Amino acid sequence: MKLSRKNGLRASAIGALVVSGALVLSACGSDDNTEPTKGGGGQTSAAASNIKCDGAKGQLLAAGSSAQKGAMDLWVKNFQAACEGVEVNYQAIGSGGGITKFNQGQVAFAGSDSALKDEEVAESKKICKGGTGVNLPMVGGPIAIGYKLEGVDNLVLDASTLAKIFDNKITKWNDPAIAKLNPGAKLPDSNIQAFHRSDESGTTQNLGKYLSTAAPADWKHDPKTKSWPAQGGQAANGSSGVATAVKDAEGSIGYFELSYATANKISTVSLNTGASAPVAATSENASKAIAAAKVKGTGNDVALSLDYATKAEGAYPLILVTYEIACDKGNKAETLPTLKAFLNYTVSEEGQKVLADAGYAPLPAEIAAKVRSIVPTLS
């Protein structure tokens, strides 16, 4: 299920797709699903004008990553406007929950911020009759470290300091390690309130991969786990829950996708990566890091290997790519046309183009082309 390295695709074309801004939908922080939009005559708006419905009908159920909730809101709205009588219901319950529902046959596809583990692949074969679950990357972006600290507008941290904060080893805002990275900042002698996800999350897993790669001496926890591995801190459900907690609590810090920080007007940390200047959490800077991604999957699986320790100028290394996980073979006949039509749209040039306005990074051109070639073959 892994694409050979000699055929590995480099995401070198991402520069042409750099995102201009981090505007978000007001619904980004909500886990409510978009109400179905009834299409009249099949194509009702400019946004939906080029969407091909290709026999799509009825309801398509999906669940998983809350990181892509804002993107899904856009995609679902446009797809339903184009395809009369179709309802796409995406539940943003976290990557772990989505994979569980997929492997139990409850949803047609799952959204996950990390590729399937070997045991999850094996489990998927029970549902994908004659086939297996495959990872189809669909959207990328930065994981922002949000904080609320009165009088500190431009906080800089590095991987080591972040690891110690989230591992309850640094507990005061005026700790010497933080002060060294922020000369001249008025750091208070107050406790740090660190928030993490309470649910299984690919966002948590990607944070762990970043910390274990960039600060291996300070983050000893399993980088593959989707559950929060460290002691201490406070838990909240979903990216929206962590963002709300940080927004409401003075002296707090937490992690979530950039769209949640923007929607809630939360200050974000710039990372000292070893480059000449700290790197801000922006879609453009995340794109520079995603540009180094390599495909590690085989066949129809497009799992990516990300460089979390990059020191490239202007590259923000705390990133994630969200996958749509579907059966390559053995999909349910009644939902297969809608599944293929919807994923064909999300990975299309038009579907990827709308991501820029929601604070996400579109797929690199070569990766998108690979996924576009796979989706029509799902059966």
Side-chain angles (χ1 to χ4, degrees), residues 194-227:
F195 288 92
H196 58 264
R197 292 278 290 270
S198 60
D199 53 321
E200 287 198 347
S201 163
T203 310
T204 294
Q205 186 182 53
N206 279 277
L207 174 64
K209 288 179 178 179
Y210 164 71
L211 294 176
S212 63
T213 301
D218 300 305
W219 191 257
K220 301 290 188 179
H221 305 289
D222 179 8
K224 296 181 180 181
T225 181
K226 293 185 178 74
S227 300

Side-chain angles (χ1 to χ4, degrees), residues 240-320:
S240 58
V242 176
T244 298
V246 171
K247 180 181 179 180
D248 292 343
E250 176 63 25
S252 61
I253 191 168
Y255 60 94
F256 30 77
E257 294 69 42
L258 179 62
S259 58
Y260 291 93
T262 307
N264 289 281
K265 298 181 180 179
I266 297 171
S267 299
T268 59
V269 168
S270 293
L271 294 177
N272 182 332
T273 65
S276 62
V279 185
T282 67
S283 294
E284 180 178 353
N285 292 343
S287 295
K288 294 176 183 177
I290 295 173
K294 297 180 180 179
V295 173
K296 64 179 181 179
T298 59
N300 285 339
D301 187 76
V302 196
L304 301 177
S305 176
L306 303 175
D307 183 5
Y308 297 98
T310 181
K311 296 181 181 179
E313 294 297 325
Y316 184 84
L318 183 46
I319 51 178
L320 61 75

Side-chain angles (χ1 to χ4, degrees), residues 65-350:
S65 164
S66 60
Q68 66 171 357
K69 179 63 168 61
M72 274 291 168
D73 283 344
L74 277 172
W75 287 331
V76 168
K77 178 182 178 181
N78 291 343
F79 188 73
Q80 291 179 165
C83 302
E84 185 174 2
V86 173
E87 178 185 349
V88 180
N89 187 324
Y90 181 80
Q91 295 179 313
I93 60 174
S95 299
I99 291 172
T100 296
K101 280 183 173 289
F102 175 75
N103 279 339
Q104 292 176 346
Q106 297 180 31
V107 294
F109 72 91
S112 177
D113 304 324
S114 57
L116 291 170
K117 298 177 182 178
D118 290 343
E119 59 268 28
E120 292 169 338
V121 172
E123 190 72 15
S124 74
K125 294 180 179 180
K126 300 175 184 178
I127 297 299
C128 304
K129 303 299 184 183
T132 187
V134 291
N135 302 287
L136 302 174
M138 204 61 67
V139 60
I143 299 174
I145 303 296
Y147 70 96
K148 184 175 183 179
L149 197 60
E150 186 175 356
V152 181
D153 298 323
N154 299 295
L155 186 67
V156 175
L157 297 173
D158 58 15
S160 174
T161 306
L162 271 177
K164 292 175 182 176
I165 288 173
F166 283 120
D167 207 20
N168 207 33
K169 301 293 175 55
I170 290 180
T171 60
K172 293 283 189 178
W173 278 112
N174 63 349
D175 186 275
I178 300 177
K180 183 178 180 180
L181 291 165
N182 297 274
K186 296 181 179 179
L187 299 168
D189 182 20
S190 58
N191 292 331
I192 297 173
Q193 295 191 65
F195 288 92
H196 58 264
R197 292 278 290 270
S198 60
D199 53 321
E200 287 198 347
S201 163
T203 310
T204 294
Q205 186 182 53
N206 279 277
L207 174 64
K209 288 179 178 179
Y210 164 71
L211 294 176
S212 63
T213 301
D218 300 305
W219 191 257
K220 301 290 188 179
H221 305 289
D222 179 8
K224 296 181 180 181
T225 181
K226 293 185 178 74
S227 300
W228 185 249
Q231 299 295 315
Q234 301 177 62
N237 187 63
S239 290
S240 58
V242 176
T244 298
V246 171
K247 180 181 179 180
D248 292 343
E250 176 63 25
S252 61
I253 191 168
Y255 60 94
F256 30 77
E257 294 69 42
L258 179 62
S259 58
Y260 291 93
T262 307
N264 289 281
K265 298 181 180 179
I266 297 171
S267 299
T268 59
V269 168
S270 293
L271 294 177
N272 182 332
T273 65
S276 62
V279 185
T282 67
S283 294
E284 180 178 353
N285 292 343
S287 295
K288 294 176 183 177
I290 295 173
K294 297 180 180 179
V295 173
K296 64 179 181 179
T298 59
N300 285 339
D301 187 76
V302 196
L304 301 177
S305 176
L306 303 175
D307 183 5
Y308 297 98
T310 181
K311 296 181 181 179
E313 294 297 325
Y316 184 84
L318 183 46
I319 51 178
L320 61 75
V321 170
T322 301
Y323 302 89
E324 313 312 337
I325 294 168
C327 297
D328 59 352
K329 298 177 182 179
N331 291 283
K332 294 180 180 179
E334 61 269 25
T335 56
L336 179 60
T338 308
L339 170 68
K340 293 170 68 173
F342 182 67
L343 295 183
N344 273 326
Y345 163 59
T346 62
V347 78
S348 69
E349 288 186 15
E350 187 168 351

